[in-house]
Amino acid sequence: MSQPLLARYAECIFWMGRYMERAENLARLLEVNEVFARDRRGSHNWDAILRLNADWDVFRKRYGEPTEERITYFYMLDPQHPGSIANAVKMARENARTLRPFISTEMWTHMNGVFNKVRSYERGPEQLPNVAEFCTLIKHGAQAHAGITEGTFYRDQGWSFYQLGKYLERADQTTRLIDAKYHALLPSSEDVGSPLDESQWNALLRSAAGYHAYRRVHPRELTPAKVAGFMLLNAQFPRSVRYCVAEGSKHLATLIGAFQLPRGIEVTEPLDALHQRLEESEIESIITTGLHEYLDAVQLELISVSEAMGRAYFGADG
C-alpha cells in the first residue's frame, strides 16, 4: 500500500478537482444565462447570479450599477474576483504545479494550455470576448482535462481526493444552477406550454448537459417540477446533486477503508446525513415547502462536509 499523502498534497489534489469543476460549471451558468437574457424577463437573470453567489455587495462596490457586460466580465475574467472563471483556472493550475510529482505530464501540459488560453482573453469589461465562444473554450478544456485525468491519473488515494473535490463542487454548482433558474423561469400564465417556455427549460437542461438524459426518463413531459427533480434527485444522472453526493460517499469510504485513513470518519456523518436527505426527498414536497429553502439547506450541508474534510485530512483548525 502507498504511504499516506502529506496533508498539503491531499488538499491540492482535492482543490484541483474543485477548481476545474467550478470553471466548467460557471461557464455553463453564464452560457445559459445569455440564452435566457434574450427574453423579456432576462434583465433580472444577471442580478440573480450575483445574489445567489453572495456577490451583490462586492460587485456594487467595485462596479456600481449591474449590467450584463459588467457581470459577465466579473464572472468570466476579473482577476480580482476569487469567483471568476479566470481565477478558478489559475488556482487549478497553481495546485497542479504543486502536484507535478503526482500527476501525469499530459495533465500538466493540458492544464497549462488552458491557463494560457484564458490569460490571452484577459482585458477589461469594455473589451469582453464573445461569451458563447469563451464558455465553449472553458467547457471543452475542462472536459478534456477530465478525460486526460481519467486516463492517466494513478488510482491511489490521490484519485479519491480528486473525485471528492470534483463531486462536492459539482453538487454545489448544480444547486446554484437550479436555484438561479427555477424561479426566474416559472412561466407566466400566457407562457405555459409555449415554444418560449419549452425552449427555456431545454436550455436549462442543456446547461447541465442533461437534456438527452432527461428525455430518457421523461420522453414527453417537460415541466419545471420534473426538471428540478431530475437535476436534484435523479440517481443515475451524473450531474444531479443526489448522484454527486453518492459518489462522494463512495470515495470517502475508499479513503477510510481501502487506504486506511480513518480520520475521514468525521466526514461520514454530515455526508451520510445529506445523502439520506436526498434519497428520501420527493420533488413535489420540496416545492410545496420551498425549493429555495431546501437548496439553501443542501448548500450548508455541503459546506459542513468540506469543513470536515479540512479538519480530517488537510490540517485545518476545527
Side-chain angles (χ1 to χ4, degrees):
M1 181 183 297
S2 58
Q3 292 296 312
L5 284 170
L6 292 175
R8 73 186 184 97
Y9 291 134
E11 186 173 20
C12 283
I13 293 172
F14 177 84
W15 279 102
M16 180 177 67
R18 287 203 75 146
Y19 279 123
M20 284 305 291
E21 188 68 29
R22 185 173 298 177
E24 180 181 355
N25 280 276
L26 276 169
R28 291 180 179 281
L29 180 60
L30 292 176
E31 186 175 51
V32 78
N33 214 74
E34 188 186 36
V35 173
F36 293 150
R38 295 170 192 160
D39 76 16
R40 57 186 168 76
R41 291 168 286 174
S43 60
H44 302 296
N45 292 320
W46 295 102
D47 292 358
I49 293 179
L50 289 172
R51 296 185 189 281
L52 283 164
N53 287 289
D55 288 327
W56 181 263
D57 292 337
V58 173
F59 179 89
R60 290 295 296 262
K61 190 176 294 183
R62 288 180 49 200
Y63 290 102
E65 192 65 26
T67 65
E68 178 180 339
E69 291 76 17
R70 291 171 181 171
I71 295 173
T72 304
Y73 174 76
F74 185 64
Y75 283 111
M76 278 174 47
L77 292 168
D78 189 341
Q80 297 180 51
H81 177 40
S84 71
I85 291 172
N87 194 65
V89 171
K90 176 185 174 183
M91 293 306 297
R93 178 183 179 266
E94 289 301 308
N95 282 290
R97 185 164 61 178
T98 302
L99 296 166
R100 283 296 289 116
F102 298 93
I103 64 175
S104 67
T105 299
E106 289 84 353
M107 284 178 68
W108 169 248
T109 300
H110 177 74
M111 182 83 72
N112 220 26
V114 174
F115 170 75
N116 286 326
K117 285 179 182 176
V118 171
R119 190 165 59 172
S120 73
Y121 280 93
E122 290 181 359
R123 312 176 186 96
E126 69 284 348
Q127 293 180 296
L128 201 65
N130 180 275
V131 174
E133 177 186 302
F134 180 82
C135 289
T136 297
L137 166 72
I138 297 301
K139 288 193 301 178
H140 288 178
Q143 289 161 0
H145 165 79
I148 293 167
T149 302
E150 170 72 28
T152 66
F153 199 176
Y154 187 65
R155 295 312 198 260
D156 63 0
Q157 58 206 273
W159 173 254
S160 292
F161 280 115
Y162 178 90
Q163 294 296 318
L164 266 164
K166 178 183 79 174
Y167 280 116
L168 289 177
E169 183 66 30
R170 184 180 293 179
D172 179 73
Q173 293 294 333
T174 298
T175 65
R176 295 178 190 278
L177 184 63
I178 298 168
D179 209 8
K181 296 306 164 196
Y182 182 83
H183 293 290
L185 291 182
L186 283 177
S188 60
S189 57
E190 66 268 23
D191 285 342
V192 174
S194 70
L196 170 63
D197 181 42
E198 185 159 333
S199 71
Q200 289 170 329
W201 291 105
N202 283 346
L204 177 57
L205 285 165
R206 291 180 191 281
S207 75
Y211 176 77
H212 293 287
Y214 174 88
R215 283 304 192 189
R216 291 182 67 177
V217 180
H218 303 290
R220 293 179 179 83
E221 293 182 286
L222 198 152
T223 67
K226 282 186 166 53
V227 172
F230 178 77
M231 294 178 65
L232 185 57
L233 302 175
N234 187 274
Q236 283 79 46
F237 177 51
R239 289 189 173 274
S240 81
V241 179
R242 178 178 172 181
Y243 181 94
C244 292
V245 171
E247 287 298 303
S249 293
K250 290 178 188 176
H251 287 285
L252 179 62
T254 299
L255 287 174
I256 295 169
F259 295 113
Q260 298 179 21
L261 299 174
R263 295 190 64 173
I265 290 171
E266 176 187 353
V267 190
T268 60
E269 183 177 348
L271 192 56
D272 287 351
L274 176 56
H275 191 193
Q276 184 176 357
R277 172 201 282 267
L278 291 162
E279 284 189 321
E280 295 176 352
S281 295
E282 295 182 355
I283 192 61
E284 292 79 10
S285 61
I286 292 172
I287 291 172
T288 299
T289 56
L291 178 62
H292 174 71
E293 290 74 17
Y294 185 92
L295 293 171
D296 264 358
V298 170
Q299 288 169 11
L300 289 173
E301 289 178 79
L302 288 167
I303 290 170
S304 295
V305 172
S306 293
E307 290 174 344
M309 283 290 296
R311 292 190 300 271
Y313 289 127
F314 309 147
D317 294 330

